[in-house]
Amino acid sequence: MSSNIGIPIKLLHEAEKHILTVETKSGEIFRGHLVEAEDSMNVQLTNVTVTHKNGQQSAMETVYIRGSKIRYFVLPDILQKAPMFKVVDSTVKGQGRGYGSQTKVSRGIGLGFGVGRGRISRGRGRGKP
């Protein structure tokens, strides 16, 4: 898995070894165990039950579906607890962005009022000094 893939692709990879439902653009519905999912959404299912457009059902041992032909996936509810959905609060961990520690109020890197900065003109002013 590459690091620049989005959450839907990561979620699809998390669904491997689970039972899911896939509907294709032609209207067929495949339900089976997800063996492999690629970044292009190509999927391989085993122990598949196929429901054709006319309602007829049939069984297949293995099926490989091209990602561009898939309309949608129905994933198991257990994936709602997937680790990618956990929100990390940076203030609780103590690893915020910027300068200073998380215990004091940090002012950023603006003009500042620190000692030794000299006199800084603030604003354009009006008229002569």
Side-chain angles (χ1 to χ4, degrees):
M1 279 189 324
S2 44
S3 62
N4 60 356
I5 59 175
I7 290 178
I9 304 298
K10 288 180 184 178
L11 186 62
L12 189 59
H13 286 295
E14 283 286 322
E16 290 178 358
K17 299 190 174 116
H18 287 90
I19 296 175
L20 65 112
T21 305
V22 179
E23 182 174 332
T24 61
K25 291 181 179 179
S26 64
E28 296 173 320
I29 299 174
F30 297 85
R31 180 171 173 81
H33 283 87
L34 179 62
V35 175
E36 181 185 10
E38 299 174 8
D39 291 352
S40 58
M41 287 194 178
N42 298 340
V43 294
Q44 181 179 359
L45 302 170
T46 58
N47 301 327
V48 182
T49 303
V50 183
T51 306
H52 300 280
K53 286 173 66 171
N54 60 6
Q56 180 186 1
Q57 289 190 345
S58 60
M60 292 183 170
E61 181 66 32
T62 304
V63 67
Y64 186 85
I65 306 170
R66 182 182 169 101
S68 65
K69 301 298 180 187
I70 295 174
R71 181 172 289 152
Y72 66 84
F73 295 96
V74 178
L75 301 173
D77 290 336
I78 194 149
L79 292 177
Q80 291 178 351
K81 306 252 190 278
M84 72 192 71
F85 293 125
K86 295 201 186 288
V87 177
V88 178
D89 190 6
S90 63
T91 58
V92 173
K93 298 279 184 186
Q95 297 177 3
R97 294 181 181 180
Y99 296 101
S101 69
Q102 295 298 322
T103 57
K104 66 178 183 175
V105 177
S106 118
R107 294 184 183 161
I109 58 170
L111 294 176
F113 298 101
V115 177
R117 293 187 185 250
R119 187 169 182 208
I120 299 174
S121 172
R122 290 177 174 69
R124 291 173 44 194
R126 302 200 182 255
K128 296 181 182 177

